[in-house]
Amino acid sequence: VYVAPNGAGQEAVTIEWSLMHPDGRRLGTISQENTIPAGTLDGAWGPVADAIAAGGADGIVALVQEAVLQNK
C-alpha cells in the first residue's frame, strides 16, 4: 500500500497484490489506484478493507486462472 498527498484534503493510494507460487516465484501482480479523502486509511480500515479486497478480487481470480492455464 502506497499513500501520497494529492491536492487539498486528498491522498493518492496505490495497492499492489502479488500472487506467489508455493515455491516463491511471483506469478503476477495487480494494482489498484484511487484518490481518497486524506486520513481515510490512518486508523482501522474496517469497511474500507472490504471494499479494497472486493475491488481487487477479479484481478486476483484472473491471475489464478492464468497460472492454472499455464501450469505454473
Side-chain angles (χ1 to χ4, degrees):
V1 176
Y2 307 95
V3 180
N6 190 25
Q10 298 290 305
E11 293 175 325
V13 178
T14 301
I15 299 172
E16 292 185 357
W17 300 83
S18 293
L19 179 64
M20 307 297 288
H21 191 277
D23 69 10
R25 289 180 290 133
R26 181 177 302 220
L27 299 176
T29 302
I30 63 163
S31 282
Q32 293 172 267
E33 296 180 13
N34 204 348
T35 301
I36 61 172
T40 300
L41 302 179
D42 288 352
W45 288 18
V48 174
D50 290 338
I52 292 167
D58 288 343
I60 293 168
V61 168
L63 281 177
V64 170
Q65 289 172 336
E66 180 181 335
V68 168
L69 289 174
Q70 294 180 9
N71 289 319
K72 290 186 173 181

